Amino acid sequence: MSRQQRDALDALLRSAPRNETPPTVEEQRNGFSAAITRPAPEGVGTRWTVMGGRHALELDPAGVRGRGRLLYLHGGGYVIGSPDTHAGLIGELARRAGLRAISVDYRLAPEHPFPAAVDDGLAAYRELLAAGTDPRDLVVAGDSAGGGLSIATLLAARAAGLPQPAAAVVFSPWADLTLAGRSIRSKEGADPIFTESDVRAYADLYIGAGDRAHPLASPVFADLTGLPPLLVQVGANEVLLDDAVRLAGRAGADDVEVTLEVGPGLPHVFQHHYGRLDEADAALDRAARFLNAHLNGDESDGDRLDPVRPQWRTT
């Protein structure tokens, strides 16, 4: 993979201006949207619908006829972001996996603090099942806060007596709102995007004076028994590195099939940079194959990628 690409991306991310005074929530949302939004890939149709009582963006790769469905929960610290800002990333994963996808516009803090996002994730998941989606044909994915929310949604589904999906993939999951991971401080200089104070500010807005160690806010403290096979991808240059490592360790300790991939020299949710960073394209391909390897093996689903389990590795 290209060291030159990684260095160029790091320099680009570090060049983003930092305000002397903290921006308002609205300014953060507008700035994030302008900086990160990429449209759905060519050949991936989109339309807005309603899922679980919330607006949701459906993404439909051309030619897909199989029953597989992807529920995606976007990142943004529970405060910013939307299905629109992540349409490119979601569409790329859906296209590579050959799956129809849906991304829920879950409620954001501070207007709607914890557990509103979890309630919305669970409502969408419940409606997919109620509409007839076989859980063996359903997979879940998310990035950053949406990665933590993906795990929380599955925990809430388990508590509600609902079946688990076939698999889950999380990119750079924010899984510990107590900020107890060592990398929150040790990786601060290496992380070109976040500082400890940035992450803490999002936690303050999302959970306030509530219990930051609650399992649905910080899944690293949850009992993950019974969750589906899990793929965790994270960059080594992240303050949230230890969130991913400890989440994978917790899953393994609870007898969950889990794969952890740590990409050297890579930033937070580096998968956003597909088409510009070789590691991003390779990671999305591996994520797509992981999902297909665990989906219901129906011979009629020939439009998906060849569901051959790849050789996983931790870098």
Side-chain angles (χ1 to χ4, degrees):
M1 299 302 176
S2 171
R3 174 65 181 269
Q4 184 178 6
Q5 289 177 341
R6 294 199 303 268
D7 290 347
L9 176 58
D10 185 85
L12 176 65
L13 295 173
R14 291 182 188 277
S15 70
R18 280 190 169 270
N19 298 327
E20 293 185 5
T21 57
T24 66
V25 168
E26 191 63 27
E27 288 172 339
Q28 290 183 62
R29 289 172 178 166
N30 291 336
F32 183 79
S33 178
I36 204 169
T37 299
R38 300 182 70 177
E42 184 177 353
V44 177
T46 62
R47 75 179 185 95
W48 284 95
T49 185
V50 175
M51 180 65 63
R54 298 292 303 167
H55 286 106
L57 183 65
E58 287 189 335
L59 300 97
D60 190 5
V64 172
R65 296 188 297 273
R67 294 193 300 268
R69 296 292 300 274
L70 166 66
L71 172 62
Y72 194 98
L73 299 169
H74 70 81
Y78 296 106
V79 175
I80 59 180
S82 70
D84 270 332
T85 62
H86 285 64
L89 177 59
I90 303 165
E92 274 296 313
L93 180 59
R95 182 183 67 80
R96 292 167 194 247
L99 298 172
R100 294 190 304 276
I102 189 160
S103 180
V104 179
D105 194 15
Y106 60 85
R107 290 171 292 172
L108 299 176
E111 298 91 338
H112 304 283
F114 175 80
V118 182
D119 292 341
D120 292 345
L122 175 61
Y125 185 80
R126 188 191 297 273
E127 184 168 325
L128 282 168
L129 295 178
T133 302
D134 188 325
R136 296 172 297 175
D137 292 322
L138 179 60
V139 291
V140 175
D143 66 279
S144 194
L149 179 57
S150 295
I151 303 301
T153 296
L154 299 185
L155 292 171
R158 184 187 66 185
L162 299 175
Q164 292 291 299
V169 169
V170 291
F171 305 140
S172 301
W174 188 22
D176 179 10
L177 272 64
T178 73
L179 311 189
R182 289 180 58 194
S183 61
I184 288 288
R185 286 159 289 280
S186 68
K187 290 289 185 176
E188 192 167 59
D191 193 320
I193 303 173
F194 293 120
T195 65
E196 177 184 358
S197 62
D198 295 331
V199 180
R200 190 175 302 279
Y202 286 128
D204 290 344
L205 291 172
Y206 180 52
I207 205 161
D211 180 8
R212 300 189 183 205
H214 192 291
L216 296 184
S218 298
V220 294
F221 303 118
D223 177 357
L224 304 182
T225 302
L227 265 61
L230 175 64
L231 171 64
V232 182
Q233 294 180 341
V234 66
N237 289 3
E238 296 198 42
V239 294
L240 295 184
L241 171 61
D242 279 352
D243 284 42
V245 172
R246 290 184 297 142
L247 179 67
R250 181 71 266 161
D254 290 335
D255 209 29
V256 174
E257 178 186 333
V258 60
T259 299
L260 171 66
E261 297 181 355
V262 181
L266 294 174
H268 186 64
V269 195
F270 62 90
Q271 296 85 353
H272 269 298
H273 303 282
Y274 60 88
R276 302 185 290 234
L277 181 69
D278 292 342
E279 290 90 340
D281 290 288
L284 286 171
D285 283 341
R286 293 195 302 272
R289 291 191 180 98
F290 179 89
L291 295 176
N292 277 319
H294 291 93
L295 280 165
N296 189 15
D298 189 325
E299 294 296 330
S300 67
D301 291 352
D303 295 282
R304 294 203 294 258
L305 294 177
D306 183 18
V308 175
R309 185 186 300 272
Q311 296 298 311
W312 302 108
R313 68 187 186 277
T314 300
T315 55

